[in-house]
Amino acid sequence: MPDLVVNGLRPEITRDENEGPDRFMLECPRCGVVGRYPFALLARRAFEAHADEEHPVVESPLDQVRALVDLAETAPGLWECELGLETYVVRQRANDRYEVEVVGRRATIDAQLSTLDDARIVIGGRAKVIGAALATAAAIQLRHGAPVNAVPLE
């Protein structure tokens, strides 16, 4: 079986020498022993559930948008991104003003863009790789960043 990695964690599944009913021991790298299972496949499934419940990967909305809309700088003040069949070019017009062009259509997206992240949000929405809820959450995060000394409530 290929190595299992869930949320960046790789479990250790070992087979015990005794041929008892639960001969596969599952260990989480963070928690230690999670349980014993009769089959390796059950141990793998149990780890997937364990990792999702106990060690979820939580990216901020802005980080999700940045991952989905990857802008590559091709020249100073010029970035490019391909999503689906479209190519998007972002140009910096001033210190806090950006413009997005859809190359294949020779069109410019009319929006007030003051950061590259604004451009990513607009491109992702137009290309339909991000939904309205994610776009809104990313825009709110962009406008209202948490203070450095903020403590997340979990």
Side-chain angles (χ1 to χ4, degrees):
M1 282 190 195
D3 285 343
L4 174 67
V5 177
V6 180
N7 298 345
L9 300 173
R10 184 182 315 268
E12 187 173 330
I13 300 173
T14 55
R15 183 179 180 153
D16 199 350
E17 292 303 318
N18 78 20
E19 293 297 319
D22 296 333
R23 59 182 169 254
F24 290 94
M25 183 172 64
L26 169 62
E27 290 184 63
C28 172
R30 288 193 186 160
C31 303
V33 176
V34 175
R36 299 181 72 84
Y37 301 89
F39 305 105
L41 185 59
L42 288 176
R44 291 171 64 89
R45 297 286 185 254
F47 185 73
E48 289 171 356
H50 168 79
D52 285 340
E53 291 171 11
E54 300 297 325
H55 312 293
V57 173
V58 180
E59 290 185 328
S60 73
L62 203 48
D63 289 337
Q64 291 176 50
V65 169
R66 288 174 181 153
L68 292 168
V69 181
D70 186 26
L71 292 175
E73 188 169 15
T74 56
L78 190 67
W79 294 264
E80 199 170 292
C81 173
E82 286 186 29
L83 289 175
L85 300 175
E86 301 286 354
T87 299
Y88 299 87
V89 174
V90 179
R91 288 184 179 80
Q92 186 173 12
R93 294 295 182 197
N95 272 350
D96 59 349
R97 189 165 163 262
Y98 294 84
E99 174 183 277
V100 176
E101 177 188 349
V102 184
V103 175
R105 299 180 189 261
R106 293 188 177 152
T108 302
I109 296 175
D110 185 25
Q112 288 191 0
L113 309 172
S114 58
T115 66
L116 276 176
D117 287 326
D118 283 329
R120 284 184 179 96
I121 292 167
V122 168
I123 292 168
R126 186 184 180 291
K128 298 192 182 349
V129 296
I130 64 171
L134 180 57
T136 302
I140 290 170
Q141 180 186 356
L142 187 60
R143 302 293 177 257
H144 305 287
V148 176
N149 60 350
V151 177
L153 300 174
E154 292 181 357

